[in-house]
Amino acid sequence: MPPEIAGIVGFIVTLVLIALRLPVAVAMGLVGIVGSIPLAGWPAVKFMLGTQPFEAVHPYGLSVVPLFIFMGVFAAHAGLSRNLYEGIYAFVGHVRGGLAIATIGACAGFGAICGSSLATAATMSRVALPEMRRKGYAESLAAASVAAGGTLGVLIPPSIILVIYALLTRESIGALFAAALIPGLLGMGLYMLAVRLRTRLDPTLGPAGDRRTGGQRLQALARTWDVAALFALVIGGIYAGLFSPTEAAAIGAAGAFAFAALRGQLNRQVLAAGIRETAVTSGMIFFILIGAALFNFFIESSNLPQFLVGVVSGLDWPAWTVMVVLLAFYLLLGCFMDSLSMMLLTVPFVFPVVTHLGYDPVWFGIILVTVIELGLITPPIGMNLFVIQSTATDISLVRIMRGVTPFILADVARLAILTAFPALTLALPRWLGL
């Protein structure tokens, strides 16, 4: 069997193993080891087993992962998510669908200090979902707005997924964070528009609440100072060149911890639970990174990236046609895989094709994360849908899936806009000189 065909077969086998519920890290690692033996020989594989696991997790840049996770965990314990939610609701609660709009805005804000979509969805489901149900919101809209809003945590900086992409492709973390800001805000705006259109067609889905006075709005806005301060400290410090992304993550983690302590939310149980959650989540990510490193050795041994570049060159297709095919591939893959696994599994052989076509790697990173974000709410395996269903067990998964349809359409529209107008993604990092 030619090595390139072996690479394609290995990729398909990995997908099959994942579909059979084998852990993603195990599936990638197993295929990487077994597939590399006939391609590279046992001595090379033995050397790879002794070096690749360490090489996968030792880069200095990966230290931001547990730090950003720690920041998100203790920011939730400090009550930052509730203050942000109530602050936005004070301004939009009087319109139809106002609570859902406030939920999406709060998800975007909390995602900016969390960096994880799953954590954002889980946190906001506990804050916003009970309130929307108490105000008479349809369960489909309430659950779907939390699930969709939670996806903003993967794009609005700081983002763990963007850090992983930067390490895989050796791009600047700061440039990717800057490039993600406008697309993230665009996504938030389109989600809010989807809620407005949905409640205009059917006002019973999200009844309007009471209008707040100017004084009440200012008071609610003032209580969001902690979120603004933490965001300005972390992201503003990076863009101003005061410290590196790793230093910013450490400062953000210390800030979130301090907020939790100063508000009396920190005790022995909370501290132990927060450290345990940080360790478990970080360990899961690092385990997947090790599996991906073993799989990438197999992909490189098969010469699959070079083979695909040659195939694309031989087809003589326009670059935009190839990009449309890649986006369709990711949309399909997103229905069955989680975001981190999808990126680690595909970037090693997709990235050379994209750069060969002349696309900007920072722009492609944002497009890729946008597609991955869409996969988080796409049935049947949209991870955010299961997170919401696990916190609201009386809401059927089918009802949540129906409710996310307008948000899926909003994401498709955002993807089309960002693809058609790359300047929306690249203007800010170029202006900042990143």
Side-chain angles (χ1 to χ4, degrees):
M1 181 186 297
E4 298 85 0
I5 302 302
I8 295 173
V9 171
F11 177 74
I12 295 172
V13 170
T14 305
L15 293 180
V16 171
L17 292 175
I18 292 171
L20 294 174
R21 301 299 179 90
L22 195 69
V24 173
V26 176
M28 289 194 293
L30 185 62
V31 171
I33 295 170
V34 175
S36 297
I37 293 174
L39 294 178
W42 173 244
V45 173
K46 185 168 64 172
F47 178 78
M48 178 265 291
L49 289 173
T51 58
Q52 286 300 314
F54 173 76
E55 294 291 334
V57 298
H58 97 284
Y60 174 72
L62 274 178
S63 57
V64 304
V65 173
L67 290 171
F68 277 140
I69 293 172
F70 185 93
M71 181 175 70
V73 168
F74 284 95
H77 284 299
L80 271 64
S81 55
R82 178 167 291 279
N83 290 344
L84 184 61
Y85 175 67
E86 293 175 351
I88 298 174
Y89 175 66
F91 285 85
V92 299
H94 61 281
V95 302
R96 285 196 296 264
L99 268 175
I101 292 173
T103 297
I104 291 167
C107 284
F110 187 72
I113 56 173
C114 176
S116 167
S117 285
L118 297 181
T120 301
T123 300
M124 292 309 302
S125 66
R126 298 185 182 95
V127 173
L129 199 54
E131 186 68 13
M132 282 191 281
R133 298 179 76 177
R134 190 174 67 84
K135 293 287 188 180
Y137 273 57
E139 292 180 340
S140 58
L141 177 62
S145 61
V146 178
T151 65
L152 297 172
V154 82
L155 188 59
I156 293 181
S159 165
I160 294 172
I161 290 291
L162 284 176
V163 171
I164 300 298
Y165 176 84
L167 293 172
L168 287 174
T169 60
R170 299 181 181 179
E171 294 298 321
S172 164
I173 295 176
L176 285 162
F177 279 4
L181 194 56
I182 293 176
L185 295 175
L186 175 63
M188 180 184 70
L190 289 173
Y191 281 169
M192 291 178 174
L193 179 61
V195 172
R196 290 291 290 146
L197 294 176
R198 191 75 182 91
T199 52
R200 175 167 291 186
L201 294 174
D202 186 355
T204 63
L205 292 176
D210 299 328
R211 182 184 292 271
R212 303 286 180 89
T213 65
Q216 290 173 326
R217 289 178 176 177
L218 288 177
Q219 289 177 359
L221 184 63
R223 286 194 291 270
T224 66
W225 71 271
D226 45 13
V227 178
L230 201 56
F231 179 80
L233 189 64
V234 174
I235 302 302
I238 294 174
Y239 293 162
L242 299 178
F243 31 73
S244 70
T246 304
E247 294 166 341
I251 291 172
F257 185 84
F259 277 128
L262 292 173
R263 292 179 175 173
Q265 301 298 318
L266 198 60
N267 54 42
R268 184 177 298 176
Q269 290 75 23
V270 169
L271 180 60
I275 293 174
R276 187 183 306 112
E277 184 177 349
T278 301
V280 169
T281 305
S282 302
M284 177 193 69
I285 292 174
F286 286 178
F287 189 42
I288 295 176
L289 285 171
I290 291 172
L294 301 178
F295 182 78
N296 292 346
F297 181 84
F298 162 69
I299 291 295
E300 291 170 2
S301 299
S302 70
N303 294 320
L304 183 58
Q306 296 85 345
F307 173 73
L308 291 177
V309 169
V311 169
V312 170
S313 301
L315 289 174
D316 198 27
W317 285 359
W320 68 267
T321 305
V322 179
M323 181 56 65
V324 169
V325 172
L326 284 176
L327 293 180
F329 164 72
Y330 274 110
L331 287 174
L332 179 63
L333 200 61
C335 296
F336 304 98
M337 292 186 67
D338 68 273
S339 54
L340 179 60
S341 304
M342 186 163 44
M343 175 175 286
L344 292 171
L345 188 64
T346 60
V347 164
F349 60 85
V350 169
F351 187 74
V353 174
V354 171
T355 53
H356 172 74
L357 294 171
Y359 286 109
D360 187 284
V362 172
W363 172 85
F364 176 69
I366 304 305
I367 293 295
L368 176 59
V369 172
T370 302
V371 178
I372 286 174
E373 178 182 320
L374 178 55
L376 290 171
I377 57 173
T378 305
I381 314 292
M383 295 298 292
N384 275 17
L385 306 181
F386 289 97
V387 169
I388 303 304
Q389 209 274 329
S390 67
T391 58
T393 55
D394 57 325
I395 304 178
S396 70
L397 194 59
V398 173
R399 187 173 298 175
I400 301 175
M401 289 179 179
R402 289 174 180 169
V404 299
T405 302
F407 299 105
I408 292 175
L409 295 176
D411 264 337
V412 171
R414 174 165 49 133
L415 193 59
I417 292 171
L418 295 177
T419 303
F421 303 102
L424 289 174
T425 302
L426 299 175
L428 188 55
R430 288 175 179 172
W431 181 69
L432 293 171
L434 299 172

